[in-house]
Every structure is written in structure tokens, then in C-alpha cells.
Amino acid sequence: MSELAIDRQIDRSKMQVSDEVAIEINNMNKWYGAFHVLRDINLTVNQGERIVIAGPSGSGKSTLIRCLNALEEHQQGTIMVDGTELSNDLKNIDKIRSEVGMVFQHFNLFPHLTILENCTLAPIWVRKTPRKEAEERAMHFLEKVKIPEQADKYPGQLSGGQQQRVAIARSLCMMPRIMLFDEPTSALDPEMIKEVLDTMIELAEEGMTMLCVTHEMGFARQVANRVIFMDAGQIVEQNEPEEFFNNPQSERTKLFLSQILGH
Amino acid sequence: MSDVSFVRTEMLPEQAPPASEVGPIGWIRHNLFSGWFNSILTLVSLYAIYYVLSGVLPWTFQSVWNADSLNQCREIMMAKWGSTHGHACWAVINDRWLQLLFGFYPSHLYWRPILALVLLLIALAPVLYSERVPTKLLILTAAYPFLLPFLMWGGTIWGPISAALGFVIGWGVYTVASKQISGLIGIILGVVASIIWWLVLSSYFVGAMDSILPIGIEAVQSRQFGGFMLAILLGVVAIGVSLPIGIVLALGRQSDLLIVKYLCVGFIEFIRGVPLITLLFVASLLLNLFLPPGTNFDIILRVMIMMTLFSAAYMAEVIRGGLAALPRGQYEGADSLGLNYWQAQRLIIMPQALKISIPGIVSTFIGIFKDTVLVSIIGLFDVIGLASAIRADTAWNGIYWELFAFIGALFFVVCFSMSRYSMYLERKLQTGHH
Ligand SMILES: Nc1ncnc2c1ncn2[C@@H]1O[C@H](COP(=O)(O)OP(=O)(O)OP(=O)(O)O)[C@@H](O)[C@H]1O
Ligand SMILES: [Mg+2]
């Protein structure tokens, strides 16, 4: 896979990692039936971190970040998000879901609602925001992802890149403290990848805590402060991007990097 | 040597295309005679159409409209055309159309079913044409389920008011209990309160209020109901009630709660596995065995319940198909935004699943509406039952086609309207690539 150049200066002034813990995973295990997908995951993410999760297909990257907002259930260990433990308690789950935004590979916009309605639905129904305020906020975020003029169209009328930016705006409308991205650019053409990455970089520049599963190694190098490598359901290695790419420790990481960077 | 190449300075005017390519002749050439095979098909079809119309049109239009009996009809035909063959005797419709439409409903009260029908159309308008009709009309829509039985059966006004009160009481209990205890217990207590009201307290309330303030209109007995009116009444109730029940059953079938799931599966499979006729016989005969003796459980109400359940089972399966067609991503999108189960269902899942299921839902509607004629088998005088009764009358003994053509036309108008409406709705809800 080639590396997409990021041809802009990145403003790191607000990209600061605080001491406050955003996510804490302790000895987490998950099975699909008899299949052990996630093994002994331990991970602490501080407020303001930008983490890229990489790894071969089937290594459990999606499963890991989907556990963080309870789209998947874990069977062992604990996950704390923003100080709330993810248990079977539905109240906790709904609370965490409204604090954590998620962007999917296939956008998952609601095709029967306009772009604006997609963005205002959850604020109005979950946060009980008055409609007018929700619409103003939605327009604010749509401007931020640079498609305010599409507000009255339906998702089916937009290009893939535009849809993914709407999906990001939709998550942001809930004012999340953490954003999860599961291969947000994998379903897009190269020129659209760039517009989505730009949006994500802007988000990082504003100090958002982000966990991204992605194959965009350019993004990992320039934006992430930590890269996590997963294989066969385990976290094999994690490091700062510079070290991770130039000086990988384990054989599996070396193999993966040589494949993905085409050396 | 000139270096200016030839450049045309003015364009030739556009010429009209040859007559063989446009206009009616062009259209016919392109669509009907484009090749020898199509030409043969066209000729064969034209002959078939001619053959049918040459029989039907004279029969329909060279017909007798005024006569007192079939014999008189035949005499008129002989006098006019020299044959009784190939001419319709619409006189039977002319003579009996009110009965075919209203059954034995008292004729001085015909205005009540007519008013009920007009109100039905008005009450449906804000639902069917949501963007063109003021939403205030929804008040009428909400009141209609109580107005309909009052207009049709008449009697004291306190009956429908008491039925409506049951909902108000249930809602009141639910709001109080769900605040004080919990949502689920609130729902259960609310339902229990409503049921207690309807089954036990309501009759005392109606009796008491009626003696204090007797307001009411003339009562009509169920056995006087009949004709096409009965088909519409049964159809409207079965259609209107089976849609929400079908949605609940479809959701129940997908539920994680095993008891709920298997109750729904069992109900759906049982009802779908049994012919409607059997259910109607159960309604008319067997139910009496199970009910305490002396209870007066209206036959039309029983039939309504059976038809509704029957339709609901089919509806549930149609809607389940729509639910299955939705990508998993829609559920995940809704979940990831923090919407709870009911919000996700109401705002995201159901609107899309119902939209996908529109053709199936409308087919079920049309099916159940036409199936209302089966009630003639258990002795209700719907249009088919009345047609048989009319043919048993000595005056019209032997008449056949005219009655069924009329009945067919009545059903066709209603079913065709439903079908067209569903196409309009599908177009309106289209939000894809354009
Ligand atoms: N619902 C499921 N039931 C059973 N097994 C599953 C399920 N979802 C995923 N798996 C399996 O779990 C493993 C990890 O899946 P996951 O989607 O997390 O991988 P991934 O690292 O995101 O891969 P990719 O890069 O292809 O997206 C895979 O082997 C997959 O086949
Ligand atoms: Mg994945």
C-alpha cells in the first residue's frame, strides 16, 4: 500500500496530551464462541492522545475499538471510559455512547434523513437539545467539514468522501470527548481519502482524543503520538511513530511494515 | 496562396425530421411494427382485444336499466334487439344497489355510514398526504376509532367516551408509575389499569352516566349490517389495527427475550398455517363454547378480531422482510450515537423497514380487504351473501353476471386506489441517487 502524502503544515500547538485518563483497559479478553479474538488487552489512553491502531486483517483492530463503545461485548477484564465502567448496565452504555463518537468504514449515515437531520437527530433525542440550537450546531460542524451547502440533500446524493465527512460531523454534533475511527478511508477513492484525512487532521489539531484504525501510514507518522500494532488479537508493540517505523522491535511488526510500506 | 481555410459562416437551418420518424406514425412504427415478429404479436393482440371488446361492450351498453324482474328484462330485450343473448340486465343493480351497498341497515340512517366514510377519508388525509394537509387534522384521526363504532352502531355516546377514557386512565397510570417506580412496571400497570377499566368498571360508568345524562343516537343491531359497507368496515378495522400489531410481532420475533420471541413465532406460524375460513368458523361457532354463557359478544366484533389477527400475522412477516433487508450498519450507527432501543426503532429502523415493505404491506391490505367476502360463509350478509339472496328472490332468479360484475367493479376501485397510492408513496419516499 502506498503512502498518501500529507502536503500541509500541521499545527501541533494544541495537540497536547494531558495527564487525565480517557480510556483504561485492563486484562480485557473477548471470544466469538470458541474463537479468542482479543487476548489480554491492556491499554491506557490519556486525554488528547492520537492513537493509530495498525495490524494485519483479522487481527482484531475493529473488534477492539468496537468494544470501547459497547458495540461488541467483552467477556473478561474491565474497560473504563471517561471514568465510567462499561458493564452490562444499559444506563452506563448509553452514557458512554453519547460521549464517544464513532466513524465507520461504510459511513452508516441514515439514508431516509437529510444531512441536517442526520446531524440533529441524536442531539435532539439523546441530549434533548432544542431543535433550533441543534440545527445551528449541526451547521457549524458541517461548515467545519466544508459541506454546509449539502445540508438539505440526502446521503444517497453525496460522494463517498462527502458522506464520510458528514458522518464525522454527525458524531461531532454530540460533542464527544473521544472519537473512534474504524478504517474511515478504506472505502474511498484516493482524492476523497485526502479530504477525509484533512478533516481528521483538523480535529487532531483541536486536541480531540482519537483512536484510529487505519492503513494510512502518512497520517500515523505525522498526526499520531502513538502507534499500536496488533496481531492475532494481541497488542504486539506500541511506540511513538518515529521509533515505530524506523526501529520496529518484533519480527511480526517488521514483516507487517515491509508489506504495507512496500520495501 | 491563401492561408484562410474554408469556414462556414452560417449554419443550415434545422430540418424537420421525416414524418415516418415522429408523430403518431413514427410512434407506431417504432413501438408496434419494428420487425416481423413484433408485427405479428401486435396483430394477434389487436385481434384478441377486438374479440373481447366486441363481446363485452355491446353486453354492457346495449342493456336494460329499468325493469322489475328478470322476465320483464327479457321481454324488453326481445322487443328491442330480438334476442336475450348478449345484453346485460342492469335493472337488478338499479333495483337493489342500495341493499348491495348497505345491507339491511335502516334506510333513514344511511347518512351515518356515509358520514363515517367521509370522516374516514378526512381522518386519513393527514396520514396519507402528510405534507399537503394541516397536521391539526390528526386530532380527528385520533378520535376516529371512537367515532366509527358510535356512528355505525349508535346507542349511547358514553360507550365510546368510556372506551377512550380507558386509554386516558392507562396513560395516566403509566406516567405516574414510570416516574415513581420504573418504565417497565409503568407500562405493565398502565395496561392492567386500562384492561380493568374496560372489562369491569366501564359498564358501570356507562350505565351511571346514561341515567344521569342520556345522550345518544338510534342503535343499529349487528345483524342489520351488510353489503359493501360491511366489507369496508371489516377492511378498515383489519387494516388499521393489523399494521401496528404486525410491527410489534415483527420486533418481538427478533427479540433477545426468548419467551417474547417464541410467543411471537408461535402466534405468527399458527395463524399463517390455518385458513381464514377456519378462523371465521372459530369466531362464529367455537368462541361461544369458551365464553361464559350469556355473554353477548358481538359477531361482527368477533369477525373483526379474527381478520385483524390473520392480517397481522402476514403483516409481521412482510415487515420482518423489510427489517432483514436493512444493513447492520444502520443499527450500529444508531447505537453509536447513544439512541436507545425504542428511539432507534422508531427513528431509524422502522421508517426504513416499512418503506422497503410498502409493496408487501399494500398487497396484504388488498388481500385482507378482498378476503372480507368470506364472511358470507358464516352467514353475514356481505355483498356476496346479498347477491345470493337476490338471486334466490323469484323476481331475479337466474341473474348472475350483472351482480358479480358490479361487485367486482366495487372491489376493483378500492383495491386499485390502494395500489396507486402505494406507488405514489414509494416515489415520494425515494431518496437515492438523482
Ligand atoms: N461477529 C463475528 N463472529 C465471529 N467472528 C468474528 C465476528 N466478527 C469478527 N470476527 C472474527 O474476529 C477476527 C477479528 O476481526 P476484526 O474485524 O476485529 O479484524 P480487523 O483487524 O478489523 O480486520 P480488518 O483489517 O479486515 O478489518 C477475525 O478473524 C474475524 O473473522
Ligand atoms: Mg476491521
Side-chain angles (χ1 to χ4, degrees), chain B residues 58-74:
Chain B
W59 181 79
T60 311
F61 292 104
Q62 296 186 348
S63 50
V64 178
W65 277 93
N66 295 303
D68 294 331
S69 69
L70 187 57
N71 283 335
Q72 201 184 351
C73 240
R74 290 195 170 129

Side-chain angles (χ1 to χ4, degrees), chain A residues 66 69 71-72 94 97-98 100 102 104 108-113 121-122 125-126 128 154 156-157 170 174, chain B residues 328-340 343 346-349 351-352 355 430-434:
Chain A
R66 290 158 59 86
N69 66 353
L71 285 185
E72 303 284 352
D94 283 341
R97 280 176 178 165
S98 62
V100 178
M102 177 131 186
F104 301 87
N108 296 356
L109 293 178
F110 306 130
H112 62 302
L113 301 176
L121 184 92
W125 288 91
V126 180
K128 316 286 180 212
Y154 286 95
Q157 298 167 309
R170 179 178 75 176
M174 286 295 280
Chain B
R328 241 174 81 85
Q330 291 296 307
Y331 292 88
E332 294 179 352
D335 283 347
S336 74
L337 288 169
L339 296 168
N340 65 32
Q343 289 172 333
R346 221 191 92 206
L347 302 166
I348 309 298
I349 306 304
Q352 295 186 67
K355 180 184 145 190
Q430 182 83 39
T431 59
H433 298 268
H434 283 295

Side-chain angles (χ1 to χ4, degrees), chain A residues 107-110 118-119 166-174, chain B residues 333 337:
Chain A
F107 329 135
N108 296 356
L109 293 178
F110 306 130
N118 264 278
C119 293
V166 171
I168 294 174
R170 179 178 75 176
S171 293
L172 292 177
C173 285
M174 286 295 280
Chain B
L337 288 169

Side-chain angles (χ1 to χ4, degrees), chain B residues 87 123 135 139 176 191 219 236 246 280 285 326 365:
Chain B
H87 305 281
T135 34
I139 296 173
V176 172
V191 170
V236 164
L280 292 177
L285 304 170
L326 274 196
F365 282 176

Side-chain angles (χ1 to χ4, degrees), chain B residues 54-242:
Chain B
S54 67
V56 170
L57 288 182
W59 181 79
T60 311
F61 292 104
Q62 296 186 348
S63 50
V64 178
W65 277 93
N66 295 303
D68 294 331
S69 69
L70 187 57
N71 283 335
Q72 201 184 351
C73 240
R74 290 195 170 129
E75 281 162 23
I76 297 175
M77 285 175 196
M78 282 308 280
K80 253 192 178 167
W81 300 291
S83 141
T84 61
H85 188 72
H87 305 281
C89 177
W90 296 119
V92 62
I93 307 296
N94 197 4
D95 190 34
R96 298 295 186 94
W97 66 279
L98 279 173
Q99 197 181 34
L100 283 170
L101 291 183
F102 295 99
F104 302 110
Y105 208 85
S107 57
H108 66 283
L109 296 178
Y110 280 170
W111 62 271
R112 275 163 43 180
I114 293 173
L115 179 63
L117 182 65
V118 171
L119 286 179
L120 172 71
L121 297 180
I122 300 174
L124 279 179
V127 181
L128 299 185
Y129 300 99
S130 50
E131 75 275 304
R132 295 190 215 159
V133 179
T135 34
K136 279 206 186 111
L137 269 181
L138 280 173
I139 296 173
L140 176 63
T141 315
Y144 192 78
F146 307 102
L147 269 175
L148 175 70
F150 178 62
L151 281 174
M152 295 302 291
W153 277 276
T156 165
I157 190 146
W158 297 107
I161 288 182
S162 158
L165 256 178
F167 284 98
V168 176
I169 288 171
W171 177 252
V173 170
Y174 162 73
T175 23
V176 172
S178 64
K179 274 208 192 95
Q180 304 275 324
I181 317 167
S182 84
L184 186 66
I185 295 182
I187 292 176
I188 295 173
L189 286 183
V191 170
V192 168
S194 294
I195 291 178
I196 291 178
W197 172 262
W198 285 322
L199 292 186
V200 185
L201 302 175
S202 162
S203 54
Y204 297 112
F205 171 80
V206 174
M209 290 310 288
D210 202 36
S211 58
I212 301 170
L213 200 64
I215 310 175
I217 52 179
E218 191 178 330
V220 180
Q221 297 305 312
S222 282
R223 61 190 149 69
Q224 294 173 290
F225 282 46
F228 197 56
M229 181 191 86
L230 184 60
I232 293 187
L233 181 66
L234 292 174
V236 164
V237 172
I239 286 173
V241 184
S242 69

Side-chain angles (χ1 to χ4, degrees), chain A residues 8-256:
Chain A
R8 57 174 276 191
Q9 279 295 300
I10 293 177
D11 172 14
R12 295 186 167 270
S13 61
K14 282 197 202 146
M15 290 193 191
Q16 272 157 13
V17 178
S18 81
D19 295 338
E20 208 181 315
V21 175
I23 298 174
E24 192 174 346
I25 307 176
N26 274 316
N27 291 323
M28 192 258 278
N29 280 279
K30 171 167 179 62
W31 287 263
Y32 281 124
F35 176 51
H36 200 168
V37 247
L38 294 177
R39 299 161 185 260
D40 287 326
I41 304 286
N42 286 291
L43 179 67
T44 306
V45 179
N46 284 359
Q47 209 49 260
E49 281 204 83
R50 290 118 8 234
I51 292 181
V52 161
I53 303 172
S57 180
S59 55
K61 307 176 299 284
S62 300
T63 312
L64 173 60
I65 71 165
R66 290 158 59 86
C67 281
L68 295 181
N69 66 353
L71 285 185
E72 303 284 352
E73 215 181 327
H74 61 284
Q75 279 93 29
Q76 252 178 32
T78 55
I79 301 178
M80 301 274 284
V81 179
D82 243 357
T84 312
E85 181 173 354
L86 259 188
S87 55
N88 285 334
D89 189 343
L90 285 178
K91 281 223 174 78
N92 282 356
I93 290 181
D94 283 341
K95 177 163 180 293
I96 286 174
R97 280 176 178 165
S98 62
E99 303 289 335
V100 178
M102 177 131 186
V103 176
F104 301 87
Q105 181 174 1
H106 296 289
F107 329 135
N108 296 356
L109 293 178
F110 306 130
H112 62 302
L113 301 176
T114 64
I115 302 304
L116 189 66
E117 288 165 343
N118 264 278
C119 293
T120 54
L121 184 92
I124 289 175
W125 288 91
V126 180
R127 288 240 192 282
K128 316 286 180 212
T129 315
R131 175 176 297 274
K132 201 157 166 296
E133 197 184 320
E135 282 177 357
E136 278 163 16
R137 194 193 300 160
M139 285 315 292
H140 167 77
F141 283 113
L142 286 175
E143 258 155 46
K144 217 168 138 103
V145 303
K146 304 195 181 61
I147 33 176
E149 71 283 357
Q150 314 282 9
D152 293 325
K153 290 197 181 160
Y154 286 95
Q157 298 167 309
L158 269 54
S159 76
Q162 291 174 323
Q163 291 192 44
Q164 193 61 295
R165 283 184 283 152
V166 171
I168 294 174
R170 179 178 75 176
S171 293
L172 292 177
C173 285
M174 286 295 280
M175 304 296 204
R177 291 167 42 90
I178 301 166
M179 287 285 287
L180 309 173
F181 294 84
D182 189 2
E183 307 202 23
T185 55
S186 300
L188 300 176
D189 295 338
E191 62 270 37
M192 299 177 184
I193 293 183
K194 199 172 159 305
E195 59 190 48
V196 171
L197 284 183
D198 268 343
T199 309
M200 291 169 62
I201 292 170
E202 269 174 40
L203 214 56
E205 284 172 339
E206 285 168 11
M208 177 65 81
T209 310
M210 298 164 70
L211 275 88
C212 315
V213 175
T214 182
H215 297 299
E216 295 300 330
M217 289 304 141
F219 180 81
R221 261 185 223 280
Q222 302 207 29
V223 181
N225 69 313
R226 185 149 50 127
V227 180
I228 290 178
F229 175 69
M230 285 186 71
D231 192 19
Q234 281 173 310
I235 296 182
V236 176
E237 184 169 347
Q238 45 179 315
N239 220 328
E240 290 176 358
E242 204 59 24
E243 277 292 294
F244 179 84
F245 287 109
N246 298 339
N247 190 13
Q249 302 294 312
S250 89
E251 285 308 312
R252 283 191 277 178
T253 319
K254 286 177 194 164
L255 182 67
F256 174 73

